Amino acid sequence: RDIGDEQRVEFDLANVTVYDLPYLASFLPVDAAAALLASQLSGTLTSADGFAQYSGSPDEINRERLSDFGLNLEFVDMAVAPIGSWPGVSGATGTLRMAQDTGSLTRNSTDAAVSLPAVFAAPVPLDLLAGTLIWRTTPDGLQLISDAVQLRSASLALTGKLDLLLGGQQGKSTI
């Protein structure tokens, strides 16, 4: 819908199984479609809603033209391939909430796996991956916070918290 000089797109979905990425990608701008296809995304979105507010044509959406957005996802057994230095994951269950300068990812996954091709030759199986990661954009950089993250596998049990500032003058992490 038109909002002055801007456009707003809204969506609300429930119980969508992600299996046909080329079909989904055909509704997106070219750059977003390429990223989606590279992600090899799969799984089920039990609930998904959001909006994007932007100026210009839908085929030209980019960060400079995006004035506001919001995204809320609840997902089960999701998988995404590693892209560049970003890790991949499979068997993920949780929620993702995003807005212009903040967001959170809550995971409560059992029988998951994390892929870090630069570090491990094969995906690392996890019996449990749980916790909430919150991020905020600040004038000093990107702040990542988590009070309690749990990782458990056959050879590892880790509970930790994180407070990290990326791109700023200080950073700290505690495990």
Side-chain angles (χ1 to χ4, degrees):
R1 68 181 192 209
D2 289 336
I3 303 175
D5 293 338
E6 295 191 331
Q7 304 290 317
R8 183 176 172 107
V9 176
E10 299 177 5
F11 70 92
D12 189 357
L13 306 168
N15 296 316
V16 175
T17 301
V18 180
Y19 62 91
D20 194 353
L21 291 181
Y23 176 74
L24 293 173
S26 68
F27 292 98
L28 299 173
V30 173
D31 291 346
L36 179 63
L37 292 171
S39 74
Q40 300 175 20
L41 183 67
S42 66
T44 301
L45 298 174
T46 55
S47 174
D49 64 81
F51 72 93
Q53 194 165 311
Y54 59 92
S55 60
S57 162
D59 292 334
E60 301 170 343
I61 296 175
N62 58 39
R63 188 167 181 83
E64 290 78 33
R65 294 177 184 223
L66 190 63
S67 62
D68 197 10
F69 76 92
L71 178 65
N72 299 304
L73 301 175
E74 293 181 14
F75 52 91
V76 175
D77 199 25
M78 293 297 285
V80 63
I83 298 174
S85 62
W86 289 91
V89 66
S90 63
T93 297
T95 60
L96 174 69
R97 309 272 186 251
M98 292 177 64
Q100 190 76 4
D101 295 321
T102 187
S104 67
L105 174 64
T106 301
R107 304 271 295 274
N108 190 8
S109 305
T110 56
D111 296 324
V114 175
S115 299
L116 297 163
V119 179
F120 300 109
V124 177
L126 298 172
D127 299 324
L128 175 68
L129 174 57
T132 299
L133 176 66
I134 299 168
W135 64 90
R136 294 183 188 109
T137 303
T138 71
D140 295 325
L142 180 65
Q143 183 179 19
L144 302 172
I145 302 167
S146 182
D147 287 338
V149 174
Q150 297 177 34
L151 300 172
R152 191 171 55 231
S153 71
S155 59
L156 172 73
L158 176 70
T159 299
K161 58 184 177 176
L162 173 76
D163 187 347
L164 182 65
L165 181 61
L166 301 173
Q169 296 297 318
Q170 55 183 319
K172 61 181 178 178
S173 63
T174 305
I175 296 178

